[in-house]
């Protein structure tokens, strides 16, 4: 087994993830797009679950331009440095599979899960990346407050529906992109939708992130000993398109945050989280 080298939050783990089946939600843009590329470079088959199929296929083409045969050897480069580059390979078209998934619609989630269950016998990694941040008050198709629905309730339903495949893929992993803002969250079980004067854009966001963390903790207890490992990951204040989903005032504040983390650094952190259970395996 080769020695690992984990520094500066970048994925410097050697080794491959050949044949691992991964689902990344919100994979057409931002962290989800970059994650899909990094995991595919390490040999994964990535299901890019996207609300907008057209944007999903566009994202796939972006990754193939960057890491596929047409990339003119650019696929060999990594922000993690030369130590990991020998373990990266050109991405094949068949490694990136675009599927429709709208986390604001329970019917869409059930349809997606049923399709995955029909086509595959196992799942190795489920990454809940899609999310909304600091939006004005809106509701999902099923009447839930939008941020609670997309950031938490939708991912919970998807996880529960896909648990049989995760059992089959064990040791497998469920990764929830949470936020340390969960520490400022408070859940009112009598008013999860925060209707009326209780609603605030970040109050709703923080509530959904607290729900993420609490769910991961409970799921870990439930799955103890079953080799399905749930994890909540704080990505940091990354400048991605999630800031475009929120109230204009918060968009300006977020974009001007001087401490925002480079996207590549956060993506490498999450890639490392995905890779560690199988470190050193071929």
């Amino acid at each position: 087994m080769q020695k690992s080298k984990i520094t500066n939050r970048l994925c410097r783990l050697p080794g491959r993830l050949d044949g691992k089946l991964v689902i990344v939600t919100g994979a057409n843009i931002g962290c989800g797009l970059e994650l899909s590329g990094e995991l595919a470079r390490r040999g994964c088959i990535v299901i890019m679950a996207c609300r907008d199929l057209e944007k999903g296929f566009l994202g796939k083409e972006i990754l193939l331009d960057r890491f596929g045969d047409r990339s003119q050897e650019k696929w060999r480069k990594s922000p993690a440095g030369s130590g990991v580059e020998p373990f990266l390979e050109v991405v094949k078209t068949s490694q990136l599979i675009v599927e429709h998934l709208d986390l604001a619609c329970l019917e869409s989630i059930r349809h997606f899960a049923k399709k995955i269950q029909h086509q595959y016998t196992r799942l190795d990694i489920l990454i809940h990346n899609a999310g909304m941040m600091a939006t004005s008050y809106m509701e999902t198709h099923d009447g839930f407050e939008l941020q609670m629905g997309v950031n938490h309730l939708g991912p919970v339903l998807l996880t529960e529906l896909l648990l049989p495949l995760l059992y089959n893929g064990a040791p497998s992993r469920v990764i929830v992109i949470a936020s340390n803002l969960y520490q400022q969250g408070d859940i009112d079980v009598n008013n999860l939708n925060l209707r009326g004067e209780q609603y605030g854009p970040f109050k709703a966001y923080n509530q959904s992130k607290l729900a993420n963390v609490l769910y991961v903790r409970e799921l870990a207890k439930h799955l103890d000993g079953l080799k399905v490992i749930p994890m909540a990951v704080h990505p940091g204040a990354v400048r991605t398109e999630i800031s475009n989903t929120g109230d204009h005032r918060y968009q300006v504040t977020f974009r001007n945050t001087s401490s925002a983390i480079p996207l590549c650094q956060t993506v490498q952190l999450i890639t490392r989280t995905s890779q560690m259970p199988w470190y050193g395996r071929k």
Side-chain angles (χ1 to χ4, degrees):
M1 181 178 290
Q2 297 157 316
K3 294 182 179 180
S4 65
K5 183 180 181 182
I6 305 174
T7 57
N8 299 326
R9 298 185 179 181
L10 296 181
C11 181
R12 300 182 189 276
L13 289 176
R16 300 272 299 163
L17 292 170
D18 290 310
K20 297 295 182 183
L21 182 65
V22 185
I23 293 175
V24 180
T25 66
N28 60 285
I29 204 166
C31 283
L33 180 66
E34 301 300 327
L35 274 170
S36 298
E38 287 300 317
L39 291 169
R41 297 170 83 191
R42 288 164 171 79
C44 292
I45 299 168
V46 183
I47 298 174
M48 302 172 66
C50 308
R51 181 170 57 90
D52 187 320
L53 274 178
E54 183 178 351
K55 291 181 179 179
F57 284 111
L58 177 60
K60 176 178 178 177
E61 289 304 309
I62 289 172
L63 293 180
L64 291 175
D65 284 341
R66 193 185 303 170
F67 303 131
D69 288 329
R70 64 186 89 156
S71 64
Q72 299 179 345
E73 301 296 307
K74 292 179 182 178
W75 60 268
R76 295 182 181 276
K77 302 299 180 182
S78 170
S82 59
V84 74
E85 288 170 2
F87 299 93
L88 305 178
E89 291 186 1
V90 65
V91 175
K92 301 175 182 177
T93 301
S94 59
Q95 286 181 258
L96 301 173
I97 303 165
V98 179
E99 296 286 358
H100 177 260
L101 172 64
D102 184 356
L103 289 170
C105 177
L106 299 183
E107 182 180 357
S108 174
I109 296 169
R110 292 190 176 98
H111 177 77
F112 172 81
K114 186 175 182 179
K115 186 173 184 179
I116 297 302
Q117 291 167 339
H118 178 73
Q119 294 181 345
Y120 304 96
T121 58
R122 70 168 217 288
L123 177 62
D124 298 293
I125 309 173
L126 173 59
I127 302 180
H128 291 297
N129 164 76
M132 307 291 291
M133 181 179 182
T135 64
S136 56
Y137 186 84
M138 292 181 278
E139 294 184 353
T140 68
H141 293 274
D142 305 281
F144 301 113
E145 186 276 317
L146 185 63
Q147 294 185 80
M148 177 60 83
V150 171
N151 296 352
H152 178 63
L153 298 177
V156 167
L157 176 60
L158 182 59
T159 300
E160 297 294 326
L161 292 174
L162 294 179
L163 274 178
L165 294 186
L166 288 162
Y167 292 147
N168 292 344
S172 54
R173 179 150 289 189
V174 178
I175 301 174
V176 178
I177 310 303
S179 168
N180 65 2
L181 287 176
Y182 83 89
Q183 298 173 80
Q184 300 178 31
D186 184 36
I187 297 178
D188 183 352
V189 295
N190 296 314
N191 188 13
L192 284 178
N193 285 332
L194 298 176
R195 290 193 174 97
E197 296 181 359
Q198 289 197 38
Y199 186 80
F202 264 105
K203 182 177 182 179
Y205 179 76
N206 297 346
Q207 174 185 244
S208 71
K209 295 293 108 176
L210 175 58
N212 285 163
V213 173
L214 293 176
Y215 174 66
V216 167
R217 287 181 176 178
E218 287 303 309
L219 187 62
K221 294 177 184 177
H222 177 71
L223 299 176
D224 184 39
L226 297 178
K227 296 184 179 180
V228 180
I229 306 170
M231 297 189 69
V233 178
H234 169 55
V238 192
R239 289 194 183 98
T240 66
E241 289 74 7
I242 192 172
S243 62
N244 296 336
T245 67
D247 182 285
H248 174 70
R249 293 167 297 172
Y250 300 111
Q251 290 182 32
V252 173
T253 301
F254 193 79
R255 289 171 184 168
N256 291 335
T257 301
S258 60
S259 60
I261 298 171
L263 177 59
C264 67
Q265 185 168 312
T266 292
V267 168
Q268 293 294 323
L269 166 64
I270 300 169
T271 304
R272 184 185 77 191
T273 305
S274 303
Q275 190 172 1
M276 287 181 70
W278 302 284
Y279 162 67
R281 295 188 180 186
K282 294 294 184 181

